Amino acid sequence: MKAACACLATALLCSGVEAFVAPAGSRALAIKSSPASSLAQAGARSVASRQQSCAAGSALRMSSTSQVDSAQPTLEEWISFAEPKLQKTMIAMFAACKEIAYKIRTASCDKMACFNEFGDEQLAIDVLANNVIFENLKASGACATASSEETPVEDPMGGSGYSVAFDPLDGSSIIDTNFAVGTIFGVWPGDRLVGITGRQLSAAGMAVYGPRTTMTVAIEGAEYAHEFLLVDDFSGRHGQWVKTNTFSTIEDGKLFAPGNLRGTQDNPGYNQLFNYYLDNKYQLRYTGGMVPDVNQLMVKGKGIFVNPASPSASAKLRVLYEVAPIGYLIEKAGGKSSDGEKSVLDIPISTTEVRSQVAYGAVGEVDRFEELVGTKMYTPLK
């Protein structure tokens, strides 16, 4: 406070205004007019000292900001190591998610759905997100085939090089409440999205549309998973994707996100696992949106997300659009994935409709899931 007053006083002195700090106990700054010539004689040394002090402080702050910005590569700078057509495919997905983020922020919602404009049409936000991704992939020239969870068929994109499967807006049922939602995608080489596994992925990504818009990606040729922030501060980098984090480890930790809790009623292993979390005072961190619930594992560097099957609540997560891409991210980030007995990356994707139960997180936590839940109420695909 004193430093701020001193700088303000300096500025006022330079403009021919006399300033003095009010007596102790008062925070007011009193000001009155005075000839600039008499002030110059009375306080020249003090003015010069304060000017130097304020200037030095401002220069330090500007220098610090500049250094932070210059140390953070943009998406285009960071991804330059990748195969050219893979670069184009990834950049197309980043462009699509940037547009989706804006459409979500400006959507109109009622109790049933959220809407926004797409050309001359007013579309539900999940349909709009679907269209935006298809348009960007077609424009890339590097995408041969694409498939959306909204329309689970293989659609030709007119390009060549890679194929993309995506969930355009995971969590669309909670978007009207302004919870965080996201986009999930996986990129495979070639022109097929069936007869494959997650082991063949060339890249995967997960966008989070929350208070900030981020995208976490993993890509062949780069270790770990990497987070990018969509800059939205009207600075010189406004609208750019800037790398902000590298995720390399997910450790055991008392944080859990339990999906399909109804399954605890008729899956004894899941009920036992859930009670283990409660008895050991784990922190419950669950929103109902898989993207933010899984993203927190990488950001916090600990914990587990589970979504087991049960006789009354069968596995619902599609391997092609959600399970395999997220498994690729989690394993690249130093964690483990499982369908109850093996990595989700080893689940054969014979059709676009293949579904699985899942656990993502720290190795020790996922091992516990396999031990207690396993495949007792679920038959995994071989």
Side-chain angles (χ1 to χ4, degrees):
M1 178 67 183
K2 290 181 179 178
C5 289
C7 290
L8 178 57
T10 298
L12 293 169
L13 283 166
C14 293
S15 61
V17 177
E18 182 178 3
F20 60 92
V21 179
S26 170
R27 295 186 180 182
L29 184 68
I31 306 171
K32 66 179 182 179
S33 297
S34 180
S37 57
S38 61
L39 290 173
Q41 295 173 356
R45 293 178 182 175
S46 178
V47 170
S49 174
R50 288 169 179 170
Q51 284 177 324
Q52 291 172 0
S53 176
C54 292
S58 298
L60 179 62
R61 288 191 295 274
M62 292 176 65
S63 173
S64 175
T65 301
S66 175
Q67 288 171 4
V68 170
D69 288 346
S70 64
Q72 296 172 316
T74 64
L75 166 66
E76 292 78 10
E77 292 167 343
W78 180 82
I79 206 172
S80 60
F81 69 89
E83 191 274 327
K85 287 191 174 181
L86 184 55
Q87 288 184 47
K88 290 182 178 180
T89 303
M90 294 296 286
I91 289 171
M93 287 304 303
F94 272 86
C97 291
K98 176 181 176 180
E99 185 174 348
I100 293 168
Y102 174 77
K103 296 295 187 181
I104 289 172
R105 288 200 311 272
T106 56
S108 300
C109 299
D110 55 30
K111 291 182 179 180
M112 300 301 294
C114 292
F115 302 87
N116 209 323
E117 293 182 2
F118 184 79
D120 295 327
E121 298 181 271
Q122 189 82 1
L123 297 180
I125 197 71
D126 52 346
V127 177
L128 186 153
N130 195 57
N131 293 351
V132 166
I133 294 174
F134 273 125
E135 284 197 351
N136 278 273
L137 289 175
K138 285 178 181 176
S140 73
C143 183
T145 305
S147 184
S148 166
E149 190 177 36
E150 296 290 319
T151 52
V153 296
E154 294 180 281
D155 290 314
M157 294 289 103
S160 64
Y162 294 87
S163 294
V164 180
F166 58 90
D167 181 352
L169 200 59
D170 184 75
S172 56
S173 63
I174 59 173
I175 193 171
D176 57 336
T177 60
N178 208 23
F179 281 19
V181 294
T183 295
I184 307 164
F185 68 93
V187 181
W188 278 266
D191 59 1
R192 294 297 306 279
L193 288 171
V194 294
I196 57 175
T197 71
R199 291 287 175 202
Q200 297 161 271
L201 277 161
S202 294
M206 186 170 69
V208 183
Y209 311 115
R212 298 175 299 137
T213 297
T214 62
M215 174 87 86
T216 298
V217 298
I219 185 169
E220 63 180 2
E223 286 190 293
Y224 312 129
H226 304 270
E227 181 190 68
F228 290 80
L229 171 70
L230 179 60
V231 180
D232 189 19
D233 62 0
F234 298 99
S235 68
R237 306 193 91 173
H238 181 77
Q240 293 183 335
W241 291 96
V242 175
K243 186 176 180 297
T244 50
N245 257 318
T246 296
F247 302 129
S248 60
T249 182
I250 301 175
E251 300 176 345
D252 291 350
K254 294 185 175 182
L255 183 153
F256 75 116
N260 190 26
L261 274 177
R262 290 170 293 184
T264 59
Q265 299 300 306
D266 55 353
N267 184 331
Y270 189 20
N271 186 60
Q272 187 179 355
L273 180 65
F274 184 74
N275 285 326
Y276 174 87
Y277 296 146
L278 296 182
D279 294 342
N280 288 274
K281 297 179 171 56
Y282 275 52
Q283 292 178 316
L284 172 63
R285 292 291 182 270
Y286 181 71
T287 69
M290 186 166 69
V291 167
D293 291 337
V294 171
N295 189 63
Q296 69 178 333
L297 305 180
M298 294 183 284
V299 174
K300 299 293 187 183
K302 64 178 183 179
I304 185 167
F305 170 91
V306 298
N307 194 307
S310 77
S312 63
S314 59
K316 68 174 185 176
L317 299 175
R318 287 185 172 97
V319 177
L320 179 63
Y321 306 104
E322 302 166 297
V323 174
I326 291 180
Y328 186 78
L329 285 171
I330 289 294
E331 293 191 15
K332 279 274 208 172
K336 181 177 179 177
S337 72
S338 177
D339 68 349
E341 68 174 17
K342 65 180 181 297
S343 166
V344 301
L345 299 182
D346 293 320
I347 300 172
I349 304 172
S350 55
T351 74
T352 61
E353 293 291 342
V354 172
R355 300 167 191 253
S356 178
Q357 67 174 8
V358 70
Y360 301 118
V363 172
E365 299 291 351
V366 176
D367 286 346
R368 185 177 295 108
F369 170 85
E370 292 181 336
E371 176 188 350
L372 297 180
V373 178
T375 58
K376 299 165 190 172
M377 296 290 169
Y378 170 74
T379 302
L381 294 170
K382 303 295 185 182

